[in-house]
Amino acid sequence: VAAVSVVVGKFTGDVFYLGTVTRGSLSVSQDARNVLRVMARELRAAAPSANGAFPLVTVASSSVTFFSDIDGDGQRDYVRYFLATSTLMKGVTTPSGNPLSYATTSETTYVVMSDVRNGTSSIFSYFDNAYAGTSSPLTFPVPIQMVRLIRIDLTLDANADREHTKKTFTTQV
């Protein structure tokens, strides 16, 4: 009877543990899809700034900065996605003044996604107009005028203590 109780107890514990891991994984997957959808929409809407600056401001392996009307008010905002340790952040600066300008000291930042585990892998990769689906990204420093496609790769971890829970989510803009 004691052996059966131990086996049943162990089985029950395993079922609850697997349920928790599965729920965490599904939640992270849904969150990642939502984040990538928003980022792609904003990047696709990138356009010259209110003062005529190029749509892309800076490009790096763990950050991208661009101008886009993300709130639908008719004015392009200065938008910055960047990695802060293991958290993907979003910074937004709205234009003000006459003529319009962007005071980056008034940037508002938001947490976009936690538990980003890209390690040494790039979150953002940049490609020129010769990209045919298999070519390598542009090398850094990337000339922003050459960028025609941005690939976003987010490696996320619902449980940092377990290696097999990492998943990579990708989109191209």
Side-chain angles (χ1 to χ4, degrees), residues 7-24:
V7 169
V8 169
K10 175 76 171 130
F11 176 76
T12 303
D14 288 347
V15 167
F16 283 119
Y17 171 75
L18 288 174
T20 301
V21 168
T22 301
R23 278 190 300 282

Side-chain angles (χ1 to χ4, degrees), residues 27-50:
S27 175
V28 165
S29 296
Q30 185 61 41
D31 291 347
R33 284 186 203 99
N34 290 338
V35 164
L36 289 175
R37 187 174 20 259
V38 169
M39 291 174 74
R41 181 178 63 237
E42 292 174 354
L43 279 161
R44 282 188 183 106
S49 74

